[in-house]
Amino acid sequence: PEAVVKKYLEELKGTPSDEDCIICMEKLSSPSGYGDTCESSTIKAETVGRLAKCQHSFHMICVLAMYSNGNKDGSLQCPSCKTIYGEKTGTQPKGKMEVSTLPQSLPGHRDCGTIQIVYHISRGIQGPEHPSPGMPYTARGFPRYCYLPDNEKGRKVLELLRVAWKRRLIFTVGTSNTTGESDTVVWNEIHHKTEMDTNLSGHGYPDPNYLDNVLAELAAQGVTEDCLRQ
């Protein structure tokens, strides 16, 4: 963890500014509020660092505490502006993503056919990255069927969803918003359309903003067109 923090934060020399550290809410000019709870042999409680791209500053020990409470995947996300450093990965259980095309059109996309994505995840035992390691998790409602228009933008979303799937970002283990069940596989902040012919539920078509919205949700997880060029 210390190596990850030092990779992305540049240690600031001299007297820090009078701003607050938004992680511990103490002033950057005084020691971190996490100095007692998060110990490090190489980072002092008063050391302040700045993230390279977004230039936001924090106590480095606060960032260490934040990182150590996450799934420790080698990436950091700025708590202020959400800029991602490194490659963010999630805690999605093992499964399979299948893709096929259908000749019929989606409402609002009459000029093309349809991409069908089928996600398969089975129940299993939670790993160390999950809320209750060693305990079972359930996987209700699988296989899950999702739909995109088979046009240029829809195909781009599909390729980004493939990246998100490989990085374990589409599902996670948590508590279901709909049933309240805990220790179950749930969607993870990247919305999918699970109905073809109606949008009464909000999970279907027509929805003229959907593709732009899902591109923004993917970008918030660090999945952008840059990933397709690599």
Side-chain angles (χ1 to χ4, degrees):
E2 277 104 334
V4 173
V5 171
K6 288 178 174 177
K7 180 177 178 183
Y8 298 120
L9 282 110
E10 176 197 1
E11 185 179 331
L12 295 180
K13 307 294 184 194
T15 310
S17 73
D18 212 29
E19 299 165 50
D20 290 345
C21 170
I22 70 158
I23 303 174
C24 71
M25 303 316 289
E26 299 287 344
K27 293 228 174 289
L28 290 174
S29 51
S30 56
S32 161
Y34 282 98
D36 297 335
T37 52
C38 181
E39 291 185 7
S40 165
S41 56
T42 61
I43 299 174
K44 297 191 178 85
E46 61 272 15
T47 305
V48 172
R50 181 192 287 144
L51 286 164
K53 277 189 284 193
C54 65
Q55 298 287 298
H56 287 118
S57 299
F58 313 93
H59 293 115
M60 289 177 74
I61 204 109
C62 290
V63 178
L64 179 64
M66 181 185 78
Y67 178 79
S68 299
N69 275 330
N71 61 342
K72 298 188 273 295
D73 61 0
S75 76
L76 272 184
Q77 188 160 19
C78 174
S80 185
C81 67
K82 307 300 183 206
T83 298
I84 293 169
Y85 294 80
E87 186 178 293
K88 182 178 179 180
T89 59
T91 59
Q92 172 181 289
K94 284 196 176 76
K96 191 165 63 169
M97 175 184 180
E98 293 178 337
V99 177
S100 58
T101 53
L102 308 172
Q104 58 262 51
S105 299
L106 295 164
H109 297 281
R110 292 294 177 204
D111 55 342
C112 63
T114 298
I115 298 165
Q116 176 179 273
I117 304 169
V118 188
Y119 294 114
H120 301 266
I121 294 180
S122 304
R123 63 188 183 178
I125 301 297
Q126 295 181 52
E129 71 275 30
H130 293 135
S132 309
M135 300 292 289
Y137 62 83
T138 57
R140 312 251 182 234
F142 286 92
R144 294 192 188 180
Y145 291 80
C146 307
Y147 305 97
L148 292 167
D150 191 6
N151 57 20
E152 188 180 355
K153 205 173 208 178
R155 289 190 288 272
K156 179 164 83 172
V157 169
L158 171 65
E159 291 312 307
L160 293 171
L161 287 173
R162 289 188 200 270
V163 174
W165 173 264
K166 282 190 188 128
R167 293 185 186 177
R168 302 176 67 197
L169 293 166
I170 292 180
F171 296 96
T172 187
V173 175
T175 300
S176 167
N177 284 335
T178 39
T179 65
E181 181 182 9
S182 58
D183 298 314
T184 191
V185 179
V186 294
W187 293 105
N188 184 37
E189 297 178 28
I190 299 170
H191 285 86
H192 284 64
K193 293 296 189 181
T194 52
E195 295 175 14
M196 284 186 73
D197 300 326
T198 169
N199 197 20
L200 291 174
S201 63
H203 302 302
Y205 292 91
D207 182 345
N209 300 318
Y210 171 63
L211 294 176
D212 288 329
N213 290 345
V214 77
L215 285 169
E217 290 169 348
L218 284 156
Q221 302 285 340
V223 181
T224 63
E225 284 186 68
D226 289 346
C227 306
L228 303 181
R229 296 189 195 106
Q230 286 165 9

